[in-house]
Amino acid sequence: MKGGVIMEIMDFICIKCPLGCMIQAELENKEVRKVTGNTCSRGEDYVKKEIINPTRTVTSTVMVINGEIPMVPVKTKGDIPKDKIWDCMRVLSGIKVAAPVHIGDIIIENVAGTNVNIVATKDIKPLE
Ligand code: SF4
């Protein structure tokens, strides 16, 4: 129908704190018109971001060569678009780094074209 108004209701569970508020967003022609169910403003911000540009921090591990333990935990330095998570995980699955590894070391630059780096979150000493 040309020029018609498209109304939509979307339900969310806020993940910004353990309370987990059930939030409902009303959209009119894809624009957020009303947000209800949130106990605080972080819930409204979360829902709007989820609708417009959902992002996540990714955590994983990569293999360490000659390290005191065989894997090092890593994470994205910031959020990446949700639809890039699997690309990011695919890249990570093929990575090996040599010990020593230090917290904050950049393991991968610009992972999956997101302009976000993957960094180590633990020190790994080399084998004695
Ligand atoms: S809306 Fe506020 S109180 Fe509710 S879960 Fe989100 S952050 Fe917590």
Side-chain angles (χ1 to χ4, degrees), residues 13-23 37-44 46:
I13 297 174
C14 181
I15 59 169
K16 291 296 173 181
C17 90
L19 205 58
C21 295
M22 307 276 286
I23 302 179
N38 52 306
T39 302
C40 73
S41 61
R42 283 194 297 160
E44 182 166 346
Y46 165 71

Side-chain angles (χ1 to χ4, degrees), residues 60-78:
S60 186
T61 54
V62 299
M63 290 178 69
V64 180
I65 300 163
N66 200 36
E68 60 180 349
I69 56 173
M71 306 293 281
V72 58
V74 298
K75 67 169 191 162
T76 51
K77 178 92 181 187

Side-chain angles (χ1 to χ4, degrees), residues 31-42:
E31 289 197 11
V32 180
R33 285 281 170 249
K34 192 174 171 190
V35 175
T36 54
N38 52 306
T39 302
C40 73
S41 61
R42 283 194 297 160

Side-chain angles (χ1 to χ4, degrees), residues 8 10 12 25-33 35 43-56 80-83:
E8 209 177 335
M10 294 178 79
F12 299 86
E26 288 179 29
L27 284 71
E28 184 181 322
N29 292 334
K30 303 281 180 201
E31 289 197 11
V32 180
R33 285 281 170 249
V35 175
E44 182 166 346
D45 295 343
Y46 165 71
V47 162
K48 285 180 174 169
K49 191 160 172 282
E50 279 294 287
I51 292 167
I52 296 162
N53 178 30
T55 60
R56 293 289 184 274
I80 65 169
K82 215 171 157 184
D83 63 5

